[in-house]
Amino acid sequence: MHLEALEEALDYRDVIERGREKSLSALSRDLFAAGCVTSKGKPLTPGMVRRLRARLEEALLAIDSGDLEDNSSDWNARLLDGINEAVQQRNRVSLVWHLRMIRKEQGETVAYRVVRSLMGSEHAAWVRDVLKQG
């Protein structure tokens, strides 16, 4: 595992996640607009984009297994505390609001990981019900 390559993929994970359904060339343009360039300052080739996507998946697996620290781990803990409180109090409005704030502040990937962790908790049925309702 090349740590620098994995960390670079994490730096652009929101762009990569938003571009999942896009072609490699369209995603390359999005990455270029976000500042991801070759050593010569040019957009990534489709092959480079494909490798960057693979590195992101590798990095997320490494984070899940504890082999790599998530570079977004310093984000606002009050949102997580708010989510835990909302779940404990069965406050649907608060849970939805906190999840939206995480999505807004930290991106889709972090929000997905929070929801995934909630779905593995003893409160999974209630959380699933809240998410279905909006």
Side-chain angles (χ1 to χ4, degrees), residues 3-74:
L3 186 58
E4 283 181 31
L6 297 180
E7 288 175 346
E8 179 186 20
L10 286 172
D11 289 342
Y12 296 102
R13 72 178 162 195
D14 287 338
V15 176
I16 296 168
E17 289 290 326
R18 282 191 308 265
R20 267 198 198 279
E21 302 301 318
K22 292 185 176 184
S23 69
L24 294 174
S25 59
L27 183 53
S28 176
R29 288 189 294 274
D30 292 350
L31 287 163
F32 184 73
C36 185
V37 298
T38 66
S39 59
K40 295 182 180 182
K42 296 186 178 202
L44 301 180
T45 66
M48 291 172 169
V49 173
R50 189 178 301 110
R51 285 189 296 278
L52 188 60
R53 277 182 173 167
R55 277 190 241 135
L56 176 61
E57 293 304 317
E58 211 177 314
L60 294 175
L61 288 173
I63 289 169
D64 284 344
S65 70
D67 293 337
L68 183 66
E69 187 171 321
D70 190 351
N71 63 1
S72 67
S73 62
D74 61 345

Side-chain angles (χ1 to χ4, degrees), residues 80-124:
L80 261 187
D81 291 341
I83 283 179
N84 289 329
E85 186 176 319
V87 169
Q88 293 298 324
Q89 296 176 355
R90 296 296 198 246
N91 186 332
R92 294 171 185 268
V93 172
S94 179
L95 178 62
V96 170
W97 183 85
H98 282 90
L99 288 172
R100 284 183 182 150
M101 289 301 103
I102 287 175
R103 189 171 285 113
K104 179 180 176 184
E105 293 179 15
Q106 299 301 316
E108 195 66 37
T109 303
V110 173
Y112 172 78
R113 292 179 65 216
V114 169
V115 168
R116 191 173 71 188
S117 118
L118 289 171
M119 296 309 277
S121 75
E122 64 193 58
H123 308 285

